[in-house]
Amino acid sequence: MNITSKIWNSPSDYLQSRTPDHPVHFFAPSALQAQAKRFLGGFNGLVTYAVKANPEQAVLSNLLAAGVTAFDVASPNEIRLLRELAPHAVLHYNNPVRSKSEIEFAHKADVKSYSIDGFREFEKIEGIIPPKGVEISVRIKLPVSGAVYDFGAKFGATPEKAIELLRRVKSAGYIPSITFHPGTQCEDPQAWEAYITEAAAVARAADVTIKRLNVGGGFPAKTANGTPDLEHFFNVIDEAVTKAFPIRPALVCEPGRAMVAQSFTHATRVKSINDNGDVYLNDGIYGGLSEFPVLDVQRSYTVFPPIGGQRSDTKTMAQVFGPTCDSLDVLPNKLALPTDIADDDYVIFQNMGAYVKGVTTDFNGYGQLETVTVLSL
Ligand SMILES: *Cc1c(COP(=O)(O)O)cnc(C)c1O
């Protein structure tokens, strides 16, 4: 039994008591379960969780406890993880690029839903998995704005190609469906409407009645600019599907970021402040802050000294570096930090549950990320 394991009241409670010198990822299971219930209660279809956003066992267990029964997995290791934790969970393998041995692995693990965006990938699946009871979703792409980066640049078939793929899927005997992903942190619900309209046009042109429409992840998480109205997104999606399809397909969504982001904060610590006022943190772009250079999202953050209390309300814009000796290890934007910030202070970033845990590296001897459970953030 691990007798040191403990649930703390809050991040400040832990930081003051333990004064950790490594980054800490604070997890509030209650916040995660509340968000899962928001998706389950508000989305008119099957809610699956995109495991890559945060594969921690505590996250998966709490989602299962909240009633999430289906997961989007993208690799044999993610399949293995879920099969160990929840052998009967429904798994969708929606990474459209897979090696033959990955397809064989998924087939043996009883995965019955796959996405594709090309003929060669379709033929690989066809050579390994018999069609009966197996769904193949054709992933479509559109030039969509609204997301902080464009997933269509890597995956997805153009509408013309998707029409051909959908016909092939159907005539081979698989269950035909359509999927898309509008891009992560997509703050514009019209992006979904455009995709849904296009999906209906593809199905109509192919003369295929699709069983399901998977509207992807991409839902926005809370940022410093505000909390997204997810229910509005759900309504826009629902109405667009009713309007676009003569026969309504069942809906699936696969949120990653929006499901998990706000149930974690991420505490970093000031290692040093140089003579120019530049701040060196104990974490940076090779660790928990790896998204900062690639996603232009405003993050909220707070600063407090290890003895507790507050630093000054007067702020100065400071350049912030990560701990490694690599010159790329710098945050792209300056942070507004208290003028009296000092060595050993903590800088806590909010809404950091997504794409931190899986992507932290041990480059240059850093990356000792600890996860601590708290009652509230
Ligand atoms: C990454 C991914 C998701 C989750 O995306 P978020 O933007 O984190 O919601 C969903 N589906 C697929 C296929 C993905 O690759």
Side-chain angles (χ1 to χ4, degrees):
M1 199 173 77
N2 180 2
I3 53 161
T4 58
S5 156
K6 180 178 163 188
I7 296 177
W8 296 75
N9 279 325
S10 65
S12 54
D13 182 18
Y14 180 83
L15 294 173
Q16 281 167 49
S17 148
R18 293 290 170 89
T19 57
D21 216 34
H22 49 263
V24 183
H25 216 200
F26 288 104
F27 173 42
S30 57
L32 179 61
Q33 292 210 22
Q35 189 73 343
K37 286 180 178 148
R38 200 168 161 200
F39 269 98
L40 291 165
F43 181 77
N44 186 14
L46 178 68
V47 176
T48 73
Y49 170 64
V51 174
K52 80 170 186 292
N54 187 327
E56 279 204 66
Q57 184 163 333
V59 166
L60 302 174
S61 307
N62 275 282
L63 289 173
L64 287 158
V68 174
T69 56
F71 296 82
D72 167 42
V73 290
S75 64
N77 275 335
E78 288 187 358
I79 293 171
R80 208 174 280 123
L81 187 65
L82 262 299
R83 282 288 175 253
E84 278 166 16
L85 201 62
H88 303 295
V90 173
L91 303 185
H92 296 169
Y93 195 165
N94 283 341
N95 178 347
V97 175
R98 311 165 191 86
S99 69
K100 280 190 189 137
S101 71
E102 288 174 335
I103 297 170
E104 280 156 8
F105 183 93
H107 178 44
K108 285 202 190 92
D110 206 27
V111 176
K112 293 206 156 56
S113 179
Y114 299 81
S115 72
I116 53 153
D117 62 2
F119 293 100
R120 297 173 72 159
E121 288 297 315
F122 173 66
E123 282 154 15
K124 270 202 257 181
I125 293 180
E126 215 183 1
I128 296 168
I129 307 179
K132 193 165 182 308
V134 173
E135 172 183 59
I136 295 189
S137 303
V138 175
R139 179 152 167 182
I140 59 171
K141 72 169 167 194
L142 282 178
V144 161
S145 59
V148 287
Y149 64 71
D150 182 9
F151 268 34
K154 182 160 180 183
F155 296 129
T158 59
E160 300 72 41
K161 187 171 168 185
I163 293 166
E164 286 307 309
L165 282 167
L166 199 60
R167 288 187 181 134
R168 284 278 294 276
V169 167
K170 166 111 194 276
S171 67
Y174 295 96
I175 299 164
S177 290
I178 293 181
T179 185
F180 60 82
H181 191 306
T184 202
Q185 188 68 23
C186 182
E187 293 181 356
D188 182 5
Q190 291 343 109
W192 275 269
E193 199 175 356
Y195 263 106
I196 290 164
T197 306
E198 193 57 43
V202 165
R204 197 181 325 114
D207 197 21
V208 170
T209 302
I210 59 168
K211 174 138 186 244
R212 301 204 286 189
L213 178 66
N214 180 336
V215 300
F219 297 93
K222 195 169 166 178
T223 67
N225 297 330
T227 308
D229 179 2
L230 284 178
E231 288 71 20
H232 176 59
F233 285 74
F234 300 153
N235 287 337
V236 168
I237 289 169
D238 205 45
E239 281 166 20
V241 172
T242 303
K243 200 166 127 208
F245 285 89
I247 302 170
R248 241 185 102 95
L251 294 185
V252 179
C253 69
E254 46 189 19
R257 177 185 305 282
M259 184 70 93
V260 76
Q262 67 196 59
S263 52
F264 284 78
T265 60
H266 186 69
T268 62
R269 195 176 203 195
V270 177
K271 279 162 59 88
S272 179
I273 299 170
N274 73 11
D275 302 334
N276 303 325
D278 302 335
V279 173
Y280 290 75
L281 296 178
N282 66 350
D283 206 2
I285 70 154
Y286 296 101
L289 310 184
S290 69
E291 273 204 332
F292 283 55
V294 284
L295 281 199
D296 188 18
V297 167
Q298 296 294 313
R299 318 264 177 172
S300 310
Y301 45 88
T302 51
V303 175
F304 76 89
I307 50 161
Q310 288 200 321
R311 290 294 183 199
S312 166
D313 283 337
T314 314
K315 305 275 164 62
T316 173
M317 297 307 289
Q319 174 102 297
V320 176
F321 293 105
T324 69
C325 295
D326 186 303
S327 54
L328 293 177
D329 196 5
V330 55
L331 299 191
N333 299 315
K334 290 184 171 181
L335 299 188
L337 296 174
T339 44
D340 55 353
I341 190 170
D343 284 9
D344 293 338
D345 278 6
Y346 292 102
V347 181
I348 306 181
F349 296 91
Q350 316 293 318
N351 305 310
M352 291 286 288
Y355 306 111
V356 169
K357 184 60 187 178
V359 296
T360 294
T361 76
D362 61 1
F363 179 43
N364 222 173
Y366 290 97
Q368 288 77 28
L369 180 63
E370 178 190 22
T371 300
V372 171
T373 303
V374 290
L375 292 179
S376 63
L377 292 168

